[in-house]
Amino acid sequence: MIHGVVITIDGPAGTGKSSVASMLATRLGLDMLDTGAMYRALTLWALSHGVSSQDAEAVDRVTHACVVDFDFTVNPPRVMLDGRDVSTAIRSQAVTDHVSYVAAHRAVRERLVQAQRRIAAAHPWLVTEGRDQGSVVFPHAPVRIYLDARPEVRARRRCEQLVAQGERVDESEILASIIRRDALDAGRATGPLRCPEGAKVVDTSDMTQEQVVERLESIVRAMVGHTLGQRHARGTVPCA
Ligand code: DC
């Protein structure tokens, strides 16, 4: 009896993880878990309770009280914070500016790692995306993918996004910040960014998004294609 298939997608910012994971999940008829959204939801909660994102003890204390859910009945799933749809609010600049501090707190990470495993137990046909999914959270997932891209390509993609939002950009500054963040992420004590052992590495530098999704789909079908016809029922599950 097959109980599901968890596909993890790890990698640094700017490799297109979220979009690709969502497109892959849709193609394969699987649920998609955006773990960055969980860190963002807790950040929104902490900020709205007047807590500094850098105060590990206070962030842990106030976020203990809140419940983050996903509503998997829609695609992409809605992010629910204590029953309120925060899918848009968690993308604000304030949350974006503070989330990496919140994501560095050990207690918060431990709680969300447990929550992610609970979600996978309730939604076992899953594509899950985040920088530690294959390396820490689901090291035994049957398909583990690591997306990578050259820093200058990731910087260019980021610039294109910002320009599309009407912002002025300095590409060399963005490249420097990506290189700095890679070093911080790789050196972080809890949940550092690293390529999961045995992962399929896909360098997206010279690929279109469509080509990346095609490539991932062929990897998944080659590895677990025989199990993909079976799906469990959908639902909403408390996750923090
Ligand atoms: O992918 P994103 O921008 O929504 O992620 C938000 C932040 O959370 C970003 O700083 C990376 C961090 N994150 C993490 O540390 N671990 C994860 N599994 C997912 C995201």
Side-chain angles (χ1 to χ4, degrees), residues 15-194:
T15 49
K17 286 193 304 290
S18 307
S19 323
V20 161
S22 173
M23 290 160 77
L24 182 68
T26 302
R27 279 201 191 194
L28 298 174
L30 304 181
D31 287 321
M32 137 86 176
L33 177 60
D34 170 358
T35 60
M38 299 171 76
Y39 289 95
R40 286 174 177 272
L42 292 195
T43 304
L44 179 65
W45 182 270
L47 294 181
S48 63
H49 285 73
V51 163
S52 160
S53 58
Q54 298 185 46
D55 184 339
E57 188 277 325
V59 169
D60 183 39
R61 181 168 32 80
V62 297
T63 58
H64 251 293
C66 70
V67 177
V68 184
D69 292 340
F70 283 93
D71 177 358
F72 282 98
T73 60
V74 288
N75 185 17
R78 282 192 203 101
V79 189
M80 311 297 292
L81 183 58
D82 270 12
R84 192 165 59 94
D85 180 356
V86 293
S87 310
T88 303
I90 60 168
R91 306 286 160 196
S92 73
Q93 193 56 48
V95 170
T96 301
D97 288 344
H98 288 271
V99 63
S100 56
Y101 296 111
V102 170
H105 299 323
R106 177 183 292 273
V108 167
R109 291 202 77 82
E110 285 173 358
R111 197 141 36 87
L112 288 190
V113 166
Q114 293 310 320
Q116 289 152 15
R117 291 181 180 145
R118 269 205 312 280
I119 292 174
H123 297 269
W125 302 88
L126 193 67
V127 176
T128 180
E129 169 269 306
R131 51 195 60 202
D132 59 351
Q133 296 301 285
S135 58
V136 173
V137 188
F138 304 106
H140 304 297
V143 184
R144 298 184 300 285
I145 290 162
Y146 187 82
L147 291 187
D148 208 350
R150 294 188 296 275
E152 57 276 19
V153 172
R154 290 156 51 210
R156 183 167 24 84
R157 289 176 182 159
R158 181 71 186 134
C159 286
E160 284 166 3
Q161 271 173 1
L162 291 170
V163 167
Q165 291 165 16
E167 293 187 34
R168 291 166 67 95
V169 293
D170 176 339
E171 191 160 336
S172 59
E173 222 170 73
I174 289 181
L175 175 59
S177 108
I178 280 181
I179 291 170
R180 207 167 41 239
R181 213 167 96 175
D182 281 356
L184 281 175
D185 277 348
R188 191 165 70 190
T190 314
L193 177 65
R194 58 186 160 82

Side-chain angles (χ1 to χ4, degrees), residues 206-223:
D206 302 309
M207 296 168 87
T208 65
Q209 201 169 61
E210 192 59 30
Q211 288 170 332
V212 177
V213 178
E214 291 279 343
R215 172 97 183 90
L216 298 197
E217 184 176 357
S218 69
I219 290 173
V220 172
R221 290 203 184 278
M223 293 178 78

